[in-house]
Amino acid sequence: MTPGKIPPTTVQRLPLYLRCLVQASAMHMPVVNSVQIAEMAGTNAAQVRKDFSYLGEFGTRGIGYEVDSLITHLSKELGLTEHRRVAIIGFGRLGSALQSYPGFDERGMKVVAVIDADPAKIGTVSDGITVESADDLEEIVKRERVEIAIVTVPGKYAQGVADRLVASGVRAIMNFAPVQLVVPEGVEVRQADVAGELQVLSFHLNPRRTLA
Amino acid sequence: MTPGKIPPTTVQRLPLYLRCLVQASAMHMPVVNSVQIAEMAGTNAAQVRKDFSYLGEFGTRGIGYEVDSLITHLSKELGLTEHRRVAIIGFGRLGSALQSYPGFDERGMKVVAVIDADPAKIGTVSDGITVESADDLEEIVKRERVEIAIVTVPGKYAQGVADRLVASGVRAIMNFAPVQLVVPEGVEVRQADVAGELQVLSFHLNPRRTLA
DNA sequence: GGATGTGAAGGGGTTCACAGCA
DNA sequence: TGCTGTGAACCCCTTCACATCC
């Protein structure tokens, strides 16, 4: 198939595949087939092949996929050829936990700015990065060429922060505040709602009628 | 429609609706219609009505939905009539950030145990809860009647922890480690992968062919 | 009149099954 | 032979449009 359009559901699985392939590479497996990838990723082989086929023809019939080459392809597809420049807005417990998360660096993310509104935090240094004032959000975003923003401010401030981020040119936001952000066309938001996820789990705990 | 089976996609939206309704209640709106809910939730009115219809007939034609009554229904459906008993396994930065997250209590979750393997942390008290040893995981889970476990241990320990949780009777796990957990039928896992989410955002930043 | 509840239509995503190629 | 790549079938979810009821 000619690479052209990639279904959103496929995009969502790409990071998972990438993780599995890196793992395979670390285990010195030069080649893997779709069945093996499916096992690692917890899906089925047909799904894996279909997903990869949207990106191009990377496999060899009768053999499988060359791991390192596929890692390169996926990384390129995900825009991870160089680290993405990330800002964290809101340096509370969650924000600081995220800043020091080692998985970011390993997976193509680089935190380049940390912003908070609390004067007691502003100016403190954490992991080599100085916490800066929310007042200066716009110039910080531009100065650091921020590509992705992680919002961990209290819910009532989240929309305001998002508006300023968008106005400053940010086109990708990960929101941990439990509010639905409204953003213009062309800006991508992903919502993280831990309490909501736990509520979904809670649903399944109920002794109930079976699902559809 | 006779309540019977609820599509997984609908279940995933229930926490969102609940949040919106609580907000509407706080704004002293006694009744809302599907258009208003859709606006708050960022979906469309047909979706809202269809979702609610899986749960029963809660609305009044020509009027809309009585907010407080709908909150009660949704809470019941999500199994939140009393707080769910949650354990946090892995008291690193992320685990401790989650423990002190006020949104849990507001939304039906109660952290009843915190477990870690680090002797330096064991015995310390945080927010009224004593950090206990991972060695005692099984008895802690049973003693506290843990219903939902949040796993924030390093990736290489996550599967082992999950196995022990399942063996102790836990049937709902929220996993923050970047590994795919394998669990028996009947155990529900939700995967939180922040780096993966950022990679999805990164994909959308690429100047590229349009999506399907 | 007005908004719900719901069959029916429409659109995607997943799975199947096999053609195609090393 | 063996595994990929993919059209087609299948299934589920979303959206539409309207009958239904307050």
Side-chain angles (χ1 to χ4, degrees):
Chain A
M1 174 196 265
T2 312
K5 16 193 166 181
I6 305 175
T9 47
T10 294
V11 174
Q12 295 220 71
R13 282 186 291 267
L14 297 185
L16 172 57
Y17 294 140
L18 182 54
R19 230 172 58 195
C20 294
L21 289 165
V22 168
Q23 192 184 324
S25 179
M27 293 163 69
H28 304 292
M29 300 169 69
V31 173
V32 292
N33 63 37
S34 59
V35 174
Q36 295 172 306
I37 297 175
E39 270 172 18
M40 288 191 272
T43 24
N44 66 72
Q47 179 85 84
V48 171
R49 293 199 301 276
K50 181 68 95 178
D51 282 339
F52 289 166
S53 78
Y54 289 117
L55 311 178
E57 305 196 7
F58 300 146
T60 309
R61 291 167 203 242
I63 305 292
Y65 301 89
E66 206 262 298
V67 172
D68 289 335
S69 145
L70 192 49
I71 288 175
T72 304
H73 279 296
L74 286 186
S75 296
K76 199 169 296 180
E77 203 65 50
L78 286 168
L80 302 173
T81 47
E82 45 192 288
H83 280 54
R84 288 291 188 185
R85 303 178 66 81
V86 176
I88 295 176
I89 325 296
F91 200 61
R93 288 171 185 262
L94 180 57
S96 75
L98 291 174
Q99 193 220 338
S100 55
Y101 176 51
F104 281 173
D105 185 51
E106 295 162 12
R107 296 173 68 192
M109 300 293 150
K110 178 187 172 78
V111 177
V112 295
V114 171
I115 296 176
D116 200 286
D118 181 354
K121 289 175 188 161
I122 295 166
T124 62
V125 178
S126 166
D127 253 324
I129 295 186
T130 303
V131 179
E132 298 184 79
S133 168
D135 292 338
D136 306 324
L137 186 145
E138 287 80 359
E139 51 190 277
I140 298 164
V141 165
K142 285 170 188 163
R143 184 192 72 217
E144 296 295 343
R145 303 191 308 283
V146 170
E147 300 175 285
I148 303 175
I150 301 179
V151 176
T152 63
V153 302
K156 59 179 164 180
Y157 302 119
Q159 183 64 55
V161 166
D163 292 342
R164 293 176 62 193
L165 288 167
V166 170
S168 310
V170 172
R171 278 167 32 236
I173 298 174
M174 168 125 210
N175 177 36
F176 281 85
V179 298
Q180 296 305 108
L181 296 182
V182 178
V183 296
E185 185 84 2
V187 177
E188 196 71 21
V189 173
R190 294 193 75 79
Q191 182 70 30
D193 181 5
V194 180
E197 297 285 310
L198 295 182
Q199 290 180 337
V200 173
L201 285 171
S202 173
F203 173 91
H204 291 286
L205 289 175
N206 262 9
R208 87 182 42 253
R209 48 191 184 262
T210 45
L211 287 180
Chain B
M1 174 197 267
T2 313
K5 17 191 166 182
I6 305 173
T9 46
T10 294
V11 174
Q12 294 221 69
R13 281 187 292 267
L14 297 184
L16 173 58
Y17 294 141
L18 183 54
R19 230 172 58 193
C20 294
L21 289 165
V22 168
Q23 190 184 327
S25 179
M27 293 163 68
H28 305 293
M29 299 169 70
V31 173
V32 291
N33 62 39
S34 58
V35 174
Q36 295 172 305
I37 297 175
E39 270 171 19
M40 288 192 273
T43 23
N44 66 71
Q47 179 86 83
V48 170
R49 292 200 302 277
K50 181 68 94 178
D51 283 338
F52 289 167
S53 78
Y54 288 118
L55 311 177
E57 306 195 7
F58 300 146
T60 310
R61 291 167 203 241
I63 306 293
Y65 300 89
E66 206 261 299
V67 172
D68 289 336
S69 145
L70 192 47
I71 288 175
T72 303
H73 279 295
L74 285 186
S75 297
K76 199 169 294 178
E77 203 64 49
L78 287 169
L80 302 173
T81 47
E82 46 191 288
H83 279 54
R84 288 292 189 186
R85 303 177 66 81
V86 175
I88 295 175
I89 325 296
F91 200 61
R93 287 171 186 263
L94 179 58
S96 75
L98 291 174
Q99 193 220 338
S100 55
Y101 176 52
F104 280 173
D105 184 52
E106 295 162 12
R107 297 174 68 193
M109 299 294 149
K110 179 187 171 81
V111 176
V112 296
V114 171
I115 296 176
D116 200 287
D118 180 355
K121 290 174 188 160
I122 296 165
T124 62
V125 178
S126 165
D127 253 323
I129 295 186
T130 303
V131 179
E132 297 184 80
S133 168
D135 292 338
D136 306 325
L137 185 145
E138 287 80 359
E139 52 190 277
I140 298 164
V141 165
K142 284 170 186 161
R143 184 193 73 217
E144 296 294 343
R145 305 189 309 283
V146 170
E147 299 174 286
I148 302 176
I150 302 179
V151 175
T152 62
V153 302
K156 59 179 165 180
Y157 302 120
Q159 182 64 54
V161 165
D163 291 342
R164 293 175 63 191
L165 288 167
V166 170
S168 310
V170 172
R171 276 169 31 238
I173 297 174
M174 168 126 210
N175 177 36
F176 281 85
V179 297
Q180 295 305 107
L181 295 182
V182 179
V183 296
E185 185 85 2
V187 178
E188 195 73 20
V189 173
R190 293 193 76 79
Q191 182 68 31
D193 180 6
V194 181
E197 297 286 310
L198 295 183
Q199 290 179 337
V200 173
L201 285 172
S202 173
F203 173 92
H204 290 287
L205 289 176
N206 263 7
R208 90 182 39 256
R209 49 193 185 262
T210 44
L211 287 180

